[in-house]
Amino acid sequence: MDRNSMSSSTPAITITRRLEFDAGHRIPHHNGQCRHLHGHRYAIELTVSGDVLETPGAADDGMVLDFGDIKRLANEHLVSLWDHAFLVAKEDQVVVAFLASMPNHKTVILDRVPTVENLAHTAFAILEPIFAEAFQGRLRLASIRLYETPNCWADISQT
């Protein structure tokens, strides 16, 4: 299909960028192994939705958004903050106090227990308004998929 045959009623397209980071956590009241301090190689997939830009001669012609822009925003506002950090619930006072006793330790204190579901929710709550503001509503953060392991993940999307 050439550019001239595309109409303004063309449906929005989604694109997805995957980033990875390492972080520790624990689920303090879990009945199994997850109650112990441990870590994961997380992967986060950010899906944005919008119209394909039609700006002949521009670097972003034919794109919803440059994948590098997704990476830049996600790294700046989330990934770099969580990478090689310990993600801990503020209610987990024993671990919060322990981590505070370590000089310059990279700790992220969360309002919720750091399950993959809660982390996905927190990531979306952080990034959704960032994307909306950065692109003046031209596109939206449609969903996040956060992998805790290659076989276990949580999805969150716009409602």
Side-chain angles (χ1 to χ4, degrees):
M1 177 181 285
D2 70 341
R3 180 184 320 270
N4 295 330
S5 64
M6 296 175 98
S7 71
S8 61
S9 64
T10 302
I13 290 183
T14 61
I15 60 170
T16 302
R17 173 71 196 234
R18 180 184 174 102
L19 301 162
E20 296 182 359
F21 63 95
D22 299 296
H25 77 147
R26 86 172 186 135
I27 312 303
H29 307 293
H30 193 267
N31 291 328
Q33 297 291 352
C34 292
R35 73 179 175 277
H36 303 294
L37 303 176
H38 64 284
H40 296 282
R41 176 73 175 171
Y42 289 93
I44 187 168
E45 294 177 352
L46 298 103
T47 299
V48 299
S49 176
D51 294 327
V52 174
L53 295 173
E54 296 185 33
T55 48
D60 57 1
D61 184 33
M63 299 178 186
V64 171
L65 183 66
D66 188 300
F67 288 112
D69 291 333
I70 299 172
K71 179 181 178 181
R72 177 181 52 79
L73 287 172
N75 277 335
E76 180 181 343
H77 297 282
L78 183 89
V79 174
S80 65
L81 304 174
W82 288 8
D83 187 36
H84 284 84
F86 198 88
L87 311 175
V88 61
K90 66 182 177 184
E91 73 179 56
D92 196 353
Q93 284 300 303
V94 172
V95 174
V96 169
F98 168 70
L99 295 171
S101 75
M102 300 169 61
N104 302 313
H105 189 271
K106 191 173 182 181
T107 304
V108 176
I109 299 174
L110 302 164
D111 289 334
R112 299 175 175 182
V113 174
T115 61
V116 70
E117 297 90 343
N118 285 338
L119 293 174
H121 185 273
T122 299
F124 195 89
I126 291 168
L127 293 174
E128 191 276 331
I130 299 293
F131 277 81
E133 182 180 326
F135 304 103
Q136 296 83 41
R138 183 182 69 75
L139 55 79
R140 67 185 178 101
L141 181 61
S143 65
I144 286 179
R145 173 170 282 180
L146 182 64
Y147 290 86
E148 188 173 79
T149 72
N151 300 318
C152 302
W153 65 85
D155 291 320
I156 184 167
S157 60
Q158 282 275 14
T159 53

